[in-house]
Amino acid sequence: MIKKQFYLLFALLISSYFMYGQLTPIPDGRRLREIIADKYKDGNLLIGGTTGQWAFGTATGEILDREFSYVTPENDFKQRQIHPDNTDKWNWSQADSWIGHIATNGQTLRMHGPISPQCSNWVKDDARTAAELEKNMRDFMEALCQRYNGTLGFEYMDVVNETVINGAWHKNKSGFGWEVPWFIIGQNSDENKTPLYIRYAFEIASEYVTDTKLIYNHHERTIINLSWNLVKKTILYLRGLGLRVDGIGWQAHINAGWEQIKGQTDALRDIIDWAHQNNLEFHITENSVFLNGNTPSDYEKQADTYKALFDILIEKSNNGEIGWNTWHIDEGHGSKTENYPAIFDKNYKAKPAYYAIQLALEAEGDYTTPYEVGFQVINTESGFPIKDCSVIINDDTVRTNSAGLAVFQNVTAGIYNARAEKKYY
């Protein structure tokens, strides 16, 4: 049984290359934010992108505003940017710039300024004492929360990040490495000896951020590990203290083919189910899918991984709130671009990964229902329909009728190559 009818317009004798503004080519199909607004009106699915204030007015910023109604500033809200030491020096300019930007572009924002390894070298200096670190952390968190509480569009906040690694607490190290120096502040006396900085951060956020949802963020490339058990126990511990935790986040920096690793997709479904069962939102807060090459087959493999993730997120959005955020918008800037992780290439052209996400959102997880798809072909000079024109989708050909319409039967959701041909004698 045919579920729906779709009619598309083929305009002949016109260039197929369009520009958005003057910086980036527009992908085929609808923009991601348009699909979300149309098909996911319950608000259970957020689709977003990450960049910095530096990108305003650039090609990267153009893509961000064109494609996403949900944004995450990458570094502008972090301790190392706003309050890097224990002086009276504060730098709010980059963070403040987002207030007007999201208002102008109709976006919501997640403050990515967590107590985490993303801190200043002053904090990481081995000479710091527990008292100095606690004061700096409290000063920063209280100021951050009070400054932006109630700000229109500031709907989420990463409170802590990367607290656990390899199933154990992420701790301080000698020198200036990838570490959590806040661990020096001390530990609680509970069963898991939870670091005090985690409790303090959520105490401050729970007190001063009343209009923003609080996220406990976590990063490891695999979903199957002991770290998630410790993260879940910590969230329940915090809630047992009467503190608010509204969501759990996963920084999904993974390799193409991740979905083919045994148990990964089932484990992701399980952690999302656990979140929803405990009245928590689930967010993929930073998604990258890395490649070893940039051949067409590499790009298709990457697209398959993005699609597999989105199929799960769309499925689970029926049971609770889900967020997704790409960490790499394009490959024209940023780290690890040599591994081609983004959904737009260095020339800001949409990659197969973009179209895989677009397809998953448009299909809403349904890839089997047959559709009737119609193409109308018109002459752009005269405006009249063109009859007896061949319309080809992959290997199927249908000729247009007197109204310029070619109708294909039993078309399932997918990405197809289409063209129109007319020979004049």
Side-chain angles (χ1 to χ4, degrees):
M1 179 178 180
I2 302 300
K3 181 181 180 182
K4 293 182 180 179
Q5 295 178 329
F6 289 101
Y7 292 92
L8 306 178
L9 180 67
F10 260 112
L12 297 185
L13 308 177
I14 190 169
S15 172
S16 62
Y17 187 78
F18 294 87
M19 298 295 291
Y20 179 85
Q22 297 184 2
L23 299 175
T24 61
I26 288 217
D28 295 331
R30 295 199 291 176
R31 308 287 57 78
L32 301 184
R33 63 183 296 172
E34 293 175 17
I35 302 171
I36 292 296
D38 177 35
K39 294 201 168 189
Y40 302 88
K41 293 183 174 69
D42 60 3
N44 269 14
L45 187 62
L46 296 172
I47 301 300
T50 299
T51 191
Q53 178 266 348
W54 63 265
F56 295 171
T58 71
T60 298
E62 189 172 83
I63 294 174
L64 178 81
D65 296 335
R66 185 187 71 206
E67 298 291 339
F68 303 114
S69 55
Y70 169 48
V71 299
T72 302
E74 55 193 359
N75 296 313
D76 298 338
F77 286 81
K78 290 178 179 176
Q79 180 269 345
R80 71 187 189 207
Q81 170 65 29
I82 291 173
H83 188 52
D85 54 35
N86 258 11
T87 68
D88 292 332
K89 182 180 178 180
W90 295 81
N91 179 13
W92 298 104
S93 59
Q94 293 180 4
D96 283 350
S97 67
W98 286 92
I99 299 173
H101 187 86
I102 66 169
T104 299
N105 293 284
Q107 295 160 323
T108 59
L109 179 144
R110 190 178 91 247
M111 285 188 286
H112 183 56
I115 302 301
S116 68
Q118 295 91 13
C119 53
S120 67
N121 280 344
W122 183 92
V123 172
K124 292 183 179 182
D125 192 308
D126 294 346
R128 297 284 80 85
T129 66
E132 286 177 316
L133 290 175
E134 182 177 342
K135 180 182 184 302
N136 181 271
M137 189 207 75
R138 288 186 178 276
D139 288 348
F140 167 67
M141 281 294 291
E142 289 176 9
L144 182 70
C145 293
Q146 291 181 74
R147 188 177 186 89
Y148 296 114
N149 183 47
T151 301
L152 185 65
F154 282 42
E155 296 193 2
Y156 295 90
M157 179 181 187
D158 292 337
V159 180
V160 296
N161 186 33
E162 302 186 38
T163 62
V164 180
I165 186 168
N166 297 324
W169 298 119
H170 197 170
K171 301 179 181 180
N172 55 297
K173 300 176 182 177
S174 60
F176 298 90
W178 195 247
E179 58 180 303
V180 180
W182 314 106
F183 187 83
I184 296 172
I185 295 172
Q187 293 175 269
N188 282 301
S189 58
D190 61 293
E191 176 185 358
N192 293 308
K193 297 185 186 302
T194 305
L196 286 170
Y197 80 86
I198 297 176
R199 193 189 92 196
Y200 294 163
F202 275 97
E203 284 177 346
I204 294 167
S206 295
E207 179 178 358
Y208 292 109
V209 182
T210 57
D211 299 321
T212 301
K213 295 178 180 178
L214 308 181
I215 305 297
Y216 193 118
N217 206 15
H218 177 59
H219 167 58
E220 278 185 276
R221 290 199 176 192
T222 177
I223 285 288
I224 305 173
N225 58 51
L226 296 176
S227 294
W228 283 102
N229 291 333
L230 185 51
V231 168
K232 289 191 287 187
K233 289 178 182 178
T234 305
I235 290 173
L236 296 179
Y237 166 74
L238 294 169
R239 283 184 160 182
L241 296 175
L243 303 177
R244 182 160 53 89
V245 185
D246 301 302
I248 184 171
W250 175 37
Q251 294 184 179
H253 299 297
I254 58 178
N255 295 324
W258 169 88
E259 76 282 6
Q260 298 176 14
I261 301 172
K262 184 178 180 180
Q264 290 295 324
T265 56
D266 287 341
L268 177 57
R269 287 187 172 91
D270 288 344
I271 191 67
I272 296 175
D273 287 342
W274 180 89
H276 289 162
Q277 289 161 7
N278 285 277
N279 196 30
L280 289 162
E281 296 186 15
F282 180 83
H283 290 247
I284 291 183
T285 53
E286 300 179 12
N287 193 195
S288 311
V289 177
F290 296 111
L291 296 173
N292 292 320
N294 64 339
T295 68
S297 61
D298 288 322
Y299 282 177
E300 291 302 325
K301 184 177 180 180
Q302 182 184 58
D304 289 343
T305 298
Y306 274 110
K307 179 179 174 298
L309 282 172
F310 266 81
D311 284 342
I312 294 172
L313 299 181
I314 292 166
E315 169 197 339
K316 294 302 180 181
S317 70
N318 294 315
N319 304 324
E321 294 191 25
I322 294 285
W324 175 87
N325 194 278
T326 180
W327 188 249
H328 295 85
I329 292 177
D330 60 74
E331 284 147 11
H333 78 283
S335 63
K336 298 186 178 180
T337 54
E338 69 275 10
N339 295 119
Y340 311 100
I343 59 178
F344 289 84
D345 67 19
K346 66 180 180 180
N347 296 314
Y348 310 105
K349 182 179 179 181
K351 293 167 58 179
Y354 173 88
Y355 291 110
I357 294 170
Q358 183 189 69
L359 169 62
L361 293 174
E362 291 280 22
E364 300 176 85
D366 180 3
Y367 302 100
T368 59
T369 298
Y371 293 80
E372 181 179 277
V373 180
F375 293 84
Q376 187 181 32
V377 183
I378 64 169
N379 186 311
T380 57
E381 293 181 343
S382 67
F384 295 129
I386 300 176
K387 66 177 181 179
D388 200 31
C389 176
S390 297
V391 177
I392 303 100
I393 298 181
N394 289 352
D395 296 326
D396 295 329
T397 301
V398 174
R399 303 185 78 82
T400 57
N401 59 23
S402 59
L405 190 65
V407 179
F408 292 79
Q409 304 290 339
N410 298 323
V411 179
T412 56
I415 297 175
Y416 297 90
N417 295 315
R419 69 183 189 276
E421 295 178 355
K422 175 69 176 180
K423 294 182 180 180
Y424 295 90
Y425 298 95

